[in-house]
Amino acid sequence: MPGTSGTGHFILAPDLEPISFDDLPLGGEWTTRRRTISETEVALFSAVAGDFSPLAIDVAHGGARFAPPALLVAVAIGLGTMDMPVPSVAEWEWLNWKFPRPVKAGETIYARWTLTQKRPPVGGAPTAIVVWRVDVHTADGALCAEGEVGASVRRKAQSARPAATDSTSAPAPTPRRRRGRRQPAASPPAETPAVVVEATPSAAPAEKTGAPRRRRRRRSRAGAGSGANGPAPTGNPAPEAAPSPAPAAAAPSGLPSGALSRVIKRLRRT
């Protein structure tokens, strides 16, 4: 029997403690006790849910109210918590129901639970999904509701911990390195010899083209005194200097006037 401990905490009996995912028997079936739906329960549930539809508050259907579908689901789950192994539910996942027959106030119902699925846990998750099929019948065996209930149920700590440890401690696989040809080590670049560029003398300016200029020979006065047909002077020629013609007044008095004019013309011609 449940009771309280010295610290005030509520203690469940061993047969009422929640069952983990690993201990739930797949394919197990449980039939619950029976329960009669009363007029008071229909009225209270309609008030709590705020359901004031004619189906819930009208008594014109044979003098009795219809039980709301949500009330049937709630009663079926409540009956299951008393007459089947209580799973350690972390959270409810979904409900999928059909109601082929209405239930009136004053009828008696019961539920049959069947564990149809135990989905494998994902990695090291601490919970896993289980699915029950629930059939609700009246006392005469008529099916009035059927559906599925999915829940996330906690796993045993020792079952969830190794998987979680493996998933966290396993080192990530390192990518394999592709073997390739070993490339030779790069040799240092060869030093290029320094090129010394010597300054070349600039080319000599091009000589002026054209006919060579005739050098004027300076005749000595002695040669001039011997006449135009006298012998040519010997020795090195005089430096290149254009002598000015001697004036007639400076000409020696011993030469004839005709010879002197011819000498002057020759000098001018040269």
Side-chain angles (χ1 to χ4, degrees), residues 53-102:
S53 64
L55 291 176
I57 63 177
D58 192 3
V59 295
H61 307 285
R65 294 184 176 92
F66 287 153
L71 175 59
L72 297 179
V73 175
V75 171
I77 293 177
L79 292 173
T81 59
M82 292 187 292
D83 296 326
M84 61 175 285
V86 179
S88 180
V89 176
E91 56 184 355
W92 298 104
E93 295 292 337
W94 71 87
L95 299 173
N96 184 15
W97 286 80
K98 296 179 181 179
F99 304 94
R101 177 186 179 278

Side-chain angles (χ1 to χ4, degrees), residues 46-197:
S46 299
V48 171
D51 183 7
F52 301 107
S53 64
L55 291 176
I57 63 177
D58 192 3
V59 295
H61 307 285
R65 294 184 176 92
F66 287 153
L71 175 59
L72 297 179
V73 175
V75 171
I77 293 177
L79 292 173
T81 59
M82 292 187 292
D83 296 326
M84 61 175 285
V86 179
S88 180
V89 176
E91 56 184 355
W92 298 104
E93 295 292 337
W94 71 87
L95 299 173
N96 184 15
W97 286 80
K98 296 179 181 179
F99 304 94
R101 177 186 179 278
V103 176
K104 296 180 181 180
E107 290 189 303
T108 301
I109 61 172
Y110 65 93
R112 180 178 289 114
W113 287 67
T114 305
L115 184 59
T116 58
Q117 296 182 39
K118 286 182 66 175
R119 300 182 181 179
V122 179
T127 60
I129 301 296
V130 296
V131 180
W132 290 275
R133 176 179 175 81
V134 184
D135 297 326
V136 181
H137 300 267
T138 59
D140 55 0
L143 181 65
C144 58
E146 59 180 344
E148 287 184 345
V149 177
S152 180
V153 180
R154 296 181 181 88
R155 303 174 59 198
K156 286 184 177 179
Q158 59 269 24
S159 300
R161 192 174 301 148
T165 305
D166 295 341
S167 61
T168 56
S169 63
T174 56
R176 297 184 59 185
R177 299 180 60 183
R178 297 181 60 185
R179 298 186 60 184
R181 296 182 178 177
R182 181 177 297 177
Q183 297 182 355
S187 58
E191 298 183 357
T192 57
V195 178
V196 180
V197 180

